[in-house]
Amino acid sequence: MPSGLVALALGGFGIGLTEFLIAGLLPQVASSFGVSEAAAGRLISGYALSVAIGALALTAATARLPRKGVLVGLVALFVIGNLLSAVAPSYSVMLLGRIVAALCHGSFFGIGSLVARSLVAPERKSRAVAVMFAGLTVANVLGVPFGALVGERWGWRAAFWAVTAIGVLALAGIVALVPGWAGQVRPPAESGRAGAVPPSGLRAQFRAFRSWQVWLTLTATALGYGGMFGAFSYIAYTFTEVSGFSPADVAWLLMVYGVGLVVGNLIGGRAADRDRDRALVLALLGLTITLAVFGLLAGSAIASVILVFLMGVTGFAGVPGMITRVTDFAHGAALAASANVSASNIGNALGAWLGGLSITAGLGYTAPLHVGAGIALVAVIVMAVAAHHARSPAHRTDHSM
């Protein structure tokens, strides 16, 4: 494994950690600044909104710059944001720190995926992306308990100091281990001619969005995430109100889900390198079936443990393949890779909103699972259409709208 991938994975771990650990620290933060729970919650929602905006804005603004240099700048921004949070004298400064840290999130994973795939042979590109995302999935497992443990023992500021230190290590790793040429040249097997340079100008970056395949992949990404988060956003209620678990059990059940994310990410990367479109359709179909069965068997504690693990596996198995697919059809445009991150966040918001509507409508705490299954089924259809269109003879000569 190239050492540069390890540095990227460490950066992904730090970014994922700062996203997730705040959930376990909200009571302490709210008490420290004397703000309401709702205000403290904006430290989460503000972060998510900034991710969606920063993914496109920063990628577009840095389109002509060397990608290693951009990654160094993004991780430096991450360090500054978490340092602001660690020393914040007021709630407003804390929120500013969260926003600054979040701005780098989408661009890091978008541009980082292009750098990661350039470090390996073309037939291993999805696995390389999966290695980078392994940091994010591990952070999903450890983020909340890490924040709660460190916060309880040394205070919530200590958690942000720890993340800042991880960011500094990732920054040093990227500077030392990622080669300067990484992400700048597409492999001949992908570009059709040796040494082809990905589009760098803003106009060329936007031209990549003329491809139907780019839009179909982004749509499938949004719907796939929407299906998973339509269910996941309310899974604690499902566990406690339907499956019979106590509130104290929710933490370890979420860790089971997180382990599923790690497994799904690694399996999905390998499968996508063998037959990407088939792997993506099967991952989305697996998510659809898992959520539908979960909705039917949520009353069983044993079944719930198994199915929340499978929800993590199938929900994240498509991520490496989706990113390599959208960047392939966008001819390496970094803006398309970052747009994939934005699409996932849009899907998260859509799924959570629709899942909430189903509960408000009085359909019960298993309803979000069925809503998620329905959204994921639409994703299967979109991905199947994209795969069929990609195989058609006409597509070989015309990739655009």
Side-chain angles (χ1 to χ4, degrees):
M1 179 191 303
S3 55
L5 285 180
V6 177
L8 292 174
L10 181 60
F13 175 71
I15 291 173
L17 204 58
T18 200
E19 178 181 15
F20 300 121
L21 65 79
I22 188 66
L25 298 172
L26 280 186
Q28 288 188 43
V29 173
S31 175
S32 178
F33 292 127
V35 298
S36 67
E37 291 84 352
R42 284 195 283 275
L43 297 172
I44 296 176
S45 58
Y47 185 97
L49 181 60
S50 299
V51 169
I53 295 172
L56 298 178
L58 287 184
T59 303
T62 58
R64 290 185 178 275
L65 300 178
R67 287 174 178 167
K68 176 181 176 177
V70 173
L71 284 179
V72 170
L74 291 172
V75 178
L77 195 65
F78 167 79
V79 171
I80 292 170
N82 281 285
L83 185 59
L84 273 176
S85 295
V87 302
S90 65
Y91 169 79
S92 59
V93 175
M94 175 74 173
L95 181 59
L96 176 62
R98 292 287 292 168
I99 290 171
V100 170
L103 287 174
C104 78
H105 183 126
S107 293
F108 177 86
F109 285 108
I111 296 172
S113 67
L114 296 174
V115 171
R117 60 184 287 170
S118 73
L119 298 176
V120 300
E123 64 272 14
R124 298 179 65 86
K125 61 189 176 185
S126 293
R127 272 173 279 189
V129 172
V131 170
M132 184 188 72
F133 271 89
L136 177 65
T137 56
V138 171
N140 194 296
V141 178
L142 300 179
V144 175
F146 172 84
L149 178 64
V150 173
E152 180 181 349
R153 183 163 300 213
W154 295 291
W156 65 266
R157 293 183 188 275
F160 283 96
W161 278 112
V163 175
T164 301
I166 291 171
V168 171
L169 288 175
L171 182 62
I174 291 172
V175 169
L177 302 175
V178 174
W181 53 260
Q184 294 305 111
V185 178
R186 284 177 287 138
E190 296 176 53
S191 64
R193 55 194 177 91
V197 179
S200 58
L202 196 56
R203 182 178 297 179
Q205 292 276 325
F206 279 108
R207 194 178 300 129
F209 291 91
R210 295 174 59 190
S211 167
W212 279 114
Q213 287 294 334
V214 168
W215 284 106
L216 287 170
T217 308
L218 292 175
T219 302
T221 294
L223 291 170
Y225 269 90
M228 181 168 66
F229 276 86
F232 178 74
S233 298
Y234 305 96
I235 199 69
Y237 294 103
T238 306
F239 285 143
T240 57
E241 303 299 325
V242 181
S243 305
F245 290 103
S246 70
D249 290 323
V250 172
W252 70 262
L253 288 165
L254 292 180
M255 291 188 70
V256 171
Y257 167 78
V259 172
L261 295 180
V262 175
V263 173
N265 176 55
L266 297 177
I267 291 175
R270 286 184 169 273
D273 280 334
R274 295 192 185 99
D275 187 336
R276 185 169 57 197
D277 283 359
R278 182 172 181 269
L280 291 175
V281 171
L282 288 177
L284 292 169
L285 183 60
L287 177 63
T288 303
I289 294 171
T290 298
L291 294 176
V293 173
F294 200 169
L296 296 174
L297 301 182
S300 165
I302 295 176
S304 294
V305 174
I306 296 170
L307 288 164
V308 78
F309 171 76
L310 292 177
M311 189 170 89
V313 173
T314 56
F316 216 85
V319 171
M322 285 293 188
I323 289 185
T324 58
R325 191 179 202 279
V326 78
T327 49
D328 277 355
F329 283 107
H331 305 295
L335 193 60
S338 295
N340 200 72
V341 179
S342 292
S344 67
N345 279 271
I346 291 170
N348 293 353
L350 173 67
W353 176 61
L354 292 177
L357 286 181
S358 69
I359 293 176
T360 302
L363 300 178
Y365 290 116
T366 60
L369 291 162
H370 295 297
V371 168
I375 299 173
L377 180 59
V378 179
V380 174
I381 296 170
V382 171
M383 191 61 239
V385 169
H388 176 74
H389 182 256
R391 290 194 303 268
S392 67
H395 175 73
R396 298 189 186 115
T397 57
D398 182 13
H399 293 254
S400 301
M401 295 180 183

